[in-house]
Amino acid sequence: MKLSVIYHSASGNTARMAQVIAEGMKLVPGVEARAFSIDAVDPDFARESRCIVAGCPTYVADTSAAMHQWLEKEMGKLDLPGKLGGAFATAQYIHGGGELVIQALLDHMLTMGMVVYSGGGSKGRPVIHLGPVAIAEAGDVEALMEFDDTFRIYGQRMAEKAVALFG
Ligand SMILES: Cc1cc2nc3c(=O)[nH]c(=O)nc-3n(C[C@H](O)[C@H](O)[C@H](O)COP(=O)(O)O)c2cc1C
């Protein structure tokens, strides 16, 4: 089963965390997961994906403009209705608006007819209510690494749900 992680990243933080989510997805047997920048999506792979997780950096407590544009103009071409959707964000500050980004991404997915999921509090620790947020200044890989386990587990949970629904 194919799963896609699609992201915008200007300075690499979100790209790195997208790869960690894909790594977590691949821990689930039968899952083929790939991460794509919004400017290099493999449309066939994404259309065939049962689950799409989207993520971007937080810009002024909102989605980055590039991501917003992609959501409006490109995402709808990926056969979205009925697919499982999830969202993540990166931000520099813990109170910088990362969860607002996730909420905006999930709202967009709901609007496109997707079935959104995170696991919420039902999976125990780490508790991930809406989706994971990694906090780091641009290019601070050491700070990002603190979030790797949570992002990997999030990817695994999304893949397990995709397999339970569609496998
Ligand atoms: C134009 C701009 C606006 C930003 N606004 C916020 C913000 O409102 N809140 C926040 O926590 N971080 C903000 N940041 C920091 C980035 O969200 C953060 O460093 C992110 O991880 C960068 O991701 P990237 O390396 O994938 O581009 C901003 C960065 C830029 C360039």
Side-chain angles (χ1 to χ4, degrees), residues 8-15 57-62 90-97 134 136-139 144:
H8 167 242
S9 182
S11 48
N13 287 3
T14 316
T58 306
Y59 282 4
V60 201
D62 203 344
T90 66
Q92 185 166 349
Y93 309 110
I94 194 159
H95 303 299
E137 199 173 334
L144 288 175

Side-chain angles (χ1 to χ4, degrees), residues 94-163:
I94 194 159
H95 303 299
E99 288 202 315
L100 296 174
V101 170
I102 292 174
Q103 183 69 67
L105 295 170
L106 295 178
D107 285 351
H108 201 93
M109 290 176 169
L110 281 169
T111 305
M112 303 300 273
M114 295 177 75
V115 178
V116 302
Y117 180 73
S118 70
S122 71
K123 297 286 180 182
R125 290 178 189 272
V127 172
I128 303 168
H129 279 169
L130 302 184
V133 182
I135 308 294
E137 199 173 334
D140 187 348
V141 174
E142 209 170 308
L144 288 175
M145 282 168 68
E146 287 185 33
F147 297 90
D148 282 359
D149 287 350
T150 296
F151 274 62
R152 203 174 290 111
I153 289 166
Y154 170 77
Q156 188 174 357
R157 288 175 183 173
M158 291 301 295
E160 282 168 352
K161 181 54 74 179
V163 168

Side-chain angles (χ1 to χ4, degrees), residues 10-22:
S11 48
N13 287 3
T14 316
R16 185 182 178 285
M17 301 319 291
Q19 295 293 347
V20 176
I21 291 172

